[in-house]
Amino acid sequence: KRQIERMFKKVAQAEKLAALGEMATSLAHELKNPLGIIRSSAQYLSSHGQNDETRLELLEYIIAEVDNLESVIGNMLKLARFKSPELSQIRMCRELTALLDRWTNSGNHNKKVDIHLECPDSLPEIRADFRQLQQVFLNCITNAEEMMPDGGNITIIIDNGNDGMINIRIMDTGPGIADQDIENAFKKFFTTKEKGMGIGLPVCRQIISAHNGTISIQNRSTGGLCVSIHLPCSPLLAEPEMDTRHKTPEKETRLG
């Protein structure tokens, strides 16, 4: 028994060190370029002869890269210091409508992408932490818009599920992702983007799992990607579901 306990501790420690090494490597890679830009901009500013326009442009570069660094570190902290959801009674349709209104009027939204929300009046209220859930929605929407730089459609459909659940599907008309990447999509630090740490979807899964829900992705037969989220109306009464690869049949939806 003692031998098994020692072996288990060694394996657990090795896994922690491996995860730490992977995180350090990813973090170093993400920090290297912004720090290089900040350094070169600062060096240029320290020399003489720049006009006000050049100084302003270099300062904007520095501010933008500092914001980028804060975003990287913030995402790491979200993954490492996850807080349990603070549940309250919410109306999903109303909250999501307000969120989409703020997003489409922000400077981060790709104006070439149209977003449609379909939500029935009969949808029940649920207990959830919408501040956490909005991270999930914005991450999915941002990913979809990045995959459609020339424009497209995002359709969000919410409906009643079985056994006190609600179903949320976020569908786009983008190119989708390679089939071999679907199984790895929720792994930490896995990414197909040139710029990205592969933290967004793991954080989404962490949030949905904390609500005793499930999240999965699949390519649509009509093209594009579908993110399927299943949330219980009362998370504390729901059985936790660990299999995030669960898929629900996709209904045919024509996008306007």
Side-chain angles (χ1 to χ4, degrees):
K1 181 181 176 181
R2 286 195 298 269
Q3 286 179 336
I4 293 174
E5 288 177 348
R6 285 196 295 268
M7 290 174 62
F8 178 79
K9 288 179 180 179
K10 288 181 179 179
V11 170
Q13 182 66 12
E15 288 179 349
K16 288 180 181 179
L17 291 173
L20 183 61
E22 194 174 4
M23 181 181 290
T25 302
S26 299
L27 188 59
H29 176 74
E30 288 298 316
L31 298 184
K32 183 177 179 180
N33 288 339
L35 287 174
I37 294 173
I38 291 172
R39 178 181 173 83
S40 61
S41 298
Q43 285 178 327
Y44 198 82
L45 278 172
S46 65
S47 61
H48 301 286
Q50 290 85 24
N51 56 39
D52 292 339
E53 184 178 351
T54 302
R55 289 193 186 95
L56 180 60
E57 184 178 2
L58 290 173
L59 288 172
E60 287 177 349
Y61 280 140
I62 291 174
I63 293 171
E65 293 307 321
V66 169
D67 289 342
N68 186 22
L69 291 175
E70 287 183 347
S71 176
V72 169
I73 294 171
N75 285 331
M76 279 288 189
L77 292 176
K78 287 177 187 176
L79 196 62
R81 299 180 182 177
F82 179 73
K83 293 183 179 180
S84 298
E86 298 179 4
L87 303 177
S88 62
Q89 205 75 7
I90 67 169
R91 295 181 179 178
M92 181 61 73
C93 292
R94 183 177 66 182
E95 296 291 347
L96 193 49
T97 298
L99 175 64
L100 292 177
D101 184 62
R102 293 193 299 270
W103 171 255
T104 53
N105 287 290
S106 72
N108 295 320
H109 167 57
N110 181 355
K111 305 299 182 182
K112 297 178 181 179
V113 176
D114 294 323
I115 303 178
H116 314 276
L117 174 63
E118 298 180 16
C119 190
D121 295 333
S122 60
L123 195 74
E125 291 187 353
I126 70 170
R127 288 187 60 77
D129 186 333
F130 193 76
R131 285 186 299 179
Q132 289 191 359
L133 290 181
Q134 73 175 2
Q135 295 180 39
V136 177
F137 298 135
L138 288 177
N139 184 275
C140 294
I141 291 170
T142 301
N143 285 344
E145 291 192 359
E146 288 178 354
M147 296 300 291
M148 301 183 292
D150 297 326
N153 291 279
I154 298 174
T155 298
I156 303 173
I157 299 178
I158 309 177
D159 54 39
N160 293 304
N162 299 321
D163 301 323
M165 304 283 288
I166 66 169
N167 302 321
I168 304 169
R169 288 175 295 146
I170 304 171
M171 300 177 289
D172 64 56
T173 56
I177 63 175
D179 291 336
Q180 64 268 24
D181 292 335
I182 289 181
E183 290 295 323
N184 297 319
F186 289 98
K187 291 182 179 179
K188 296 174 184 176
F189 312 119
F190 176 82
T191 181
T192 58
K193 301 178 182 178
E194 291 184 5
K195 291 186 177 182
M197 295 191 64
I199 293 178
L201 284 178
V203 169
C204 291
R205 183 175 65 177
Q206 201 172 40
I207 291 172
I208 298 299
S209 295
H211 283 78
N212 274 344
T214 63
I215 180 171
S216 63
I217 62 173
Q218 53 270 339
N219 285 312
R220 303 175 62 201
S221 59
T222 54
L225 195 70
C226 176
V227 180
S228 299
I229 299 170
H230 309 280
L231 289 173
C233 295
S234 298
L236 298 180
L237 301 179
E239 290 292 331
E241 175 63 62
M242 300 305 294
D243 184 10
T244 58
R245 295 173 298 174
H246 172 71
K247 298 178 182 179
T248 54
E250 183 186 329
K251 298 177 182 178
E252 279 295 322
T253 304
R254 293 191 177 276
L255 305 181

